[in-house]
Amino acid sequence: MNQNLESLKERVSRLSVMIFDIDGTLTDGRIFWVPNSGWTQMYSVRDGMGIKRLQEAGLEVAAISGGDSLSAQMRMQSLGLKHVHFGSQDKVAHFEKLLELLKVTADRCGYMGDETVDLPLLKAVGFSAAPPEAPDEVRSQVHYVAQRPAGFGAAREVCEFILRHRQAP
């Protein structure tokens, strides 16, 4: 489904909301056990800066994740995300609630995810993206596949793409 640049520019020009999966999208998918603390992941400050830049440009940024960890909660809080859903077994249901809350339509939303469980939501939004490590069946269904790895700038790349083409005349 990957599309030509003009089609992608049109899609991102309509965005007012960008939603991210967390594990495998904002992280590289690895988890680490820290004694006396529990499971944790690592996040890229570059991805965080991309999210901050989207917020500064007036986009609402949200996260919908099937996982739930203290480190993810703290990271999303540190980024100032107001709309975060953890432990989601039905991401489309959470997405529909978000649409209602923000009073936007699906075509004005983007989503970046990396797994087959993300496919229903990736197909529901106006702009979809995935990191390069996503399975073939995910990469073939999204509008944009990042070149940078997940957890190492993939989200920042998508944010920069959105910012660059939202501002284009």
Side-chain angles (χ1 to χ4, degrees):
M1 179 195 278
N2 303 309
Q3 299 184 342
N4 67 42
L5 184 59
E6 290 308 311
S7 175
L8 288 172
K9 285 181 184 180
E10 182 182 329
R11 287 181 176 282
V12 300
S13 71
R14 295 189 297 256
L15 293 183
S16 59
V17 179
M18 186 62 196
I19 307 161
F20 292 91
D21 175 40
I22 298 173
D23 300 317
T25 301
L26 296 179
T27 75
D28 65 3
R30 294 182 296 167
I31 57 174
F32 304 90
W33 179 255
V34 179
N36 303 317
S37 181
W39 293 106
T40 191
Q41 307 102 325
M42 293 195 316
Y43 299 88
S44 166
V45 295
R46 290 179 181 90
D47 289 340
M49 181 56 71
I51 287 170
K52 287 291 193 187
R53 292 195 62 219
L54 287 182
Q55 292 168 323
E56 290 167 1
L59 275 81
E60 188 71 47
V61 180
I64 301 176
S65 178
D68 189 5
S69 68
L70 181 58
S71 66
Q73 293 171 19
M74 298 304 292
R75 181 61 176 150
M76 296 307 105
Q77 182 181 1
S78 74
L79 292 171
L81 272 62
K82 299 175 194 158
H83 307 286
V84 181
H85 300 278
F86 292 104
S88 177
Q89 300 304 308
D90 185 350
K91 292 183 179 188
V92 173
H94 284 106
F95 172 63
E96 290 171 348
K97 289 178 185 174
L98 187 63
L99 291 176
E100 188 176 314
L101 182 68
L102 297 177
K103 299 182 181 356
V104 296
T105 56
D107 68 310
R108 296 184 49 88
C109 298
Y111 180 66
M112 184 175 188
D114 70 307
E115 270 301 340
T116 55
V117 297
D118 294 312
L119 282 170
L121 185 47
L122 288 164
K123 291 177 181 180
V125 295
F127 171 72
S128 59
E133 301 86 356
D136 290 341
E137 66 186 291
V138 172
R139 290 193 323 266
S140 68
Q141 295 297 311
V142 298
H143 301 115
Y144 183 89
V145 177
Q147 294 179 359
R148 302 280 307 155
F152 292 93
R156 174 68 178 264
E157 179 184 329
V158 169
C159 293
E160 295 295 332
F161 181 83
I162 292 167
L163 291 167
R164 187 170 48 254
H165 296 298
R166 276 188 87 237
Q167 298 171 356

